[in-house]
Amino acid sequence: MGNPTESTTSSLKSLEIGDDSDLRVHVFSSSSELLEKLQQSWSSVEKQPYPAMYSSVYGGIILDPAMMVIPIDDHMVHRGHGVFDTAIILDGYLYELDVHLDRFLRSASKAKISSPFPRSTLRSILIQLTATSKCKEGTLRYWLSAGPGDFLLSSAGCPTPAFYAVVIDQEVSQHKEGVKVITSNVPMKPPLFATMKNVNYLPNVLSVLEAEEKGAFASIWVDDAGYIAEGPNVNVAFITPEKELVMPLFDNILSGCTAKRLLELAPKLVDQGLLKGVTTKYLTVEEAKGAAEMMYVGSTLPVLPIIAWDDQPIGNGTVGELTMLVSDLLWDDMVSGPDTQRIPVTYVE
């Protein structure tokens, strides 16, 4: 057999010039033949990035990456009728699972998706999935969908909602190098959709692609009133010249779990005389660009320093000392925080 990619490319070229005489689409004669084909694509992968997945459609945990799939008629796929959330796995603990799970269910309620299980069962499934994966550092992502059923807009034809989750084996570490950002020209989501963590991420994707095309890491959204909103999948925070930590209000943007945790922790730096205050408020672009320091705040970061915005340096254009103190504060909470924040996982041997 030849290279599958080359064969596919050749077939597409034939279609482009209107000559499909050589195109022969393979028909899989059995599920076993299809499974063999799917497994071949994973056979050369040295390290499995997805050690385990849960699917309520299957009714259990899947260890074979070739079978980590969802139905094409799932309304999350073709209508975007689904919500998701993420928790960090670090040193064998799940960080902030409960607050993320609460937001997950709030998002589902806004999206008019019911859960096939009570909250306690969802939580138990996620912890068991993490244990079965044997992954002690990475991310746990999970979705609630209107479920499979048909290709209509209404979910009335979906027999039951679906719950999916996957463990992603990846490095989780502090970010100590600064990045550049731009102001996004891609329209931000209206409040109804911005405040629920739903799977409709095309605006987010386009805003990142726009930034990358301009040599930046990501972007900043500004709302119609001219106030700072958020990044494509993170919150944004600033250190003012007066050493106050400021974040935009969460009224019309996603209420970030990590951002809210930072607001709880940051008063420690005030008590130590390192910060003058901690607040959330409306920020104009002029005020924000006049900050001494700037950072992204999100679950998988937890803090990413920003050193330039629209090709203008933030402060002196280097990673700020207070930014790194804020980063240390969150990192210490992830590594050795209270039991309310960190859930231990008993791994399956």
Side-chain angles (χ1 to χ4, degrees), residues 251-266:
D251 296 4
N252 300 319
I253 61 175
L254 188 69
S255 178
C257 295
T258 305
K260 292 174 71 175
R261 181 59 178 164
L262 175 57
L263 291 173
E264 294 173 357
L265 294 169

Side-chain angles (χ1 to χ4, degrees), residues 124-177:
S124 178
I125 288 170
L126 292 173
I127 294 173
Q128 290 182 59
L129 174 66
T130 306
T132 304
S133 75
K134 301 182 181 179
C135 175
K136 296 186 178 182
E137 183 175 329
T139 57
L140 171 64
R141 294 181 183 267
Y142 39 99
W143 297 260
L144 266 176
S145 159
D150 54 35
F151 290 91
L152 302 179
L153 284 172
S154 172
S155 58
C158 302
T160 183
F163 178 58
Y164 307 103
V166 66
V167 172
I168 305 170
D169 189 339
Q170 64 184 113
E171 182 182 357
V172 179
S173 61
Q174 280 184 283
H175 292 274
K176 300 184 179 182
E177 301 294 325

Side-chain angles (χ1 to χ4, degrees), residues 143-212:
W143 297 260
L144 266 176
S145 159
D150 54 35
F151 290 91
L152 302 179
L153 284 172
S154 172
S155 58
C158 302
T160 183
F163 178 58
Y164 307 103
V166 66
V167 172
I168 305 170
D169 189 339
Q170 64 184 113
E171 182 182 357
V172 179
S173 61
Q174 280 184 283
H175 292 274
K176 300 184 179 182
E177 301 294 325
V179 299
K180 298 178 180 181
V181 300
I182 65 166
T183 302
S184 181
N185 290 309
V186 178
M188 63 181 289
K189 298 174 185 177
L192 174 63
F193 300 110
T195 55
M196 74 169 86
K197 200 169 177 66
N198 63 85
V199 299
N200 295 287
Y201 258 46
L202 186 56
N204 312 63
V205 170
L206 293 177
S207 70
V208 169
L209 293 178
E210 176 192 29
E212 291 175 346

Side-chain angles (χ1 to χ4, degrees), residues 287-307:
E287 290 172 324
K289 287 190 173 182
E293 302 178 32
M294 180 179 176
M295 68 202 83
Y296 279 138
V297 181
S299 298
T300 58
L301 299 176
V303 169
L304 177 61
I306 296 172
I307 58 174

Side-chain angles (χ1 to χ4, degrees), residues 19-284:
D19 178 14
D20 61 355
S21 59
D22 293 331
L23 178 64
R24 295 292 181 270
V25 178
H26 181 77
V27 177
F28 290 97
S29 60
S30 65
S31 57
S32 58
E33 182 192 4
L34 176 58
L35 178 58
E36 182 181 359
K37 179 68 175 180
L38 291 171
Q39 290 173 331
Q40 283 176 3
S41 65
W42 288 98
S43 61
S44 60
V45 177
E46 293 184 9
K47 184 180 179 181
Q48 164 58 271
Y50 318 124
M53 173 188 173
Y54 174 84
S55 167
S56 64
V57 174
Y58 288 163
I61 294 172
I62 307 134
L63 302 179
D64 185 346
M67 297 302 294
M68 294 180 184
V69 295
I70 63 177
I72 189 65
D73 64 344
D74 190 302
H75 279 222
M76 184 167 69
V77 175
H78 63 84
R79 297 302 180 198
H81 196 179
V83 298
F84 78 102
D85 222 302
T86 305
I88 295 297
I89 307 167
L90 187 61
D91 295 333
Y93 287 80
L94 280 164
Y95 181 67
E96 286 207 306
L97 174 62
D98 286 311
V99 292
H100 281 273
L101 192 52
D102 289 341
R103 183 177 66 179
F104 179 60
L105 292 173
R106 288 197 301 271
S107 294
S109 178
K110 288 183 178 181
K112 298 186 178 181
I113 301 171
S114 59
S115 172
F117 310 114
R119 183 191 185 281
S120 59
T121 302
L122 294 175
R123 187 179 190 272
S124 178
I125 288 170
L126 292 173
I127 294 173
Q128 290 182 59
L129 174 66
T130 306
T132 304
S133 75
K134 301 182 181 179
C135 175
K136 296 186 178 182
E137 183 175 329
T139 57
L140 171 64
R141 294 181 183 267
Y142 39 99
W143 297 260
L144 266 176
S145 159
D150 54 35
F151 290 91
L152 302 179
L153 284 172
S154 172
S155 58
C158 302
T160 183
F163 178 58
Y164 307 103
V166 66
V167 172
I168 305 170
D169 189 339
Q170 64 184 113
E171 182 182 357
V172 179
S173 61
Q174 280 184 283
H175 292 274
K176 300 184 179 182
E177 301 294 325
V179 299
K180 298 178 180 181
V181 300
I182 65 166
T183 302
S184 181
N185 290 309
V186 178
M188 63 181 289
K189 298 174 185 177
L192 174 63
F193 300 110
T195 55
M196 74 169 86
K197 200 169 177 66
N198 63 85
V199 299
N200 295 287
Y201 258 46
L202 186 56
N204 312 63
V205 170
L206 293 177
S207 70
V208 169
L209 293 178
E210 176 192 29
E212 291 175 346
E213 289 167 358
K214 296 180 179 180
F217 175 79
S219 59
I220 302 294
W221 267 316
V222 178
D223 68 21
D224 292 339
Y227 294 116
I228 303 303
E230 59 186 338
N233 61 345
V234 285
N235 292 105
V236 61
F238 303 87
I239 304 291
T240 69
E242 296 75 30
K243 296 187 176 181
E244 184 178 39
L245 174 66
V246 181
M247 286 188 196
L249 290 165
F250 299 122
D251 296 4
N252 300 319
I253 61 175
L254 188 69
S255 178
C257 295
T258 305
K260 292 174 71 175
R261 181 59 178 164
L262 175 57
L263 291 173
E264 294 173 357
L265 294 169
K268 293 180 181 180
L269 298 179
V270 177
D271 294 341
Q272 296 169 24
L274 299 170
L275 285 177
K276 295 296 184 182
V278 179
T279 190
T280 58
K281 66 179 184 179
Y282 292 116
L283 275 170
T284 66

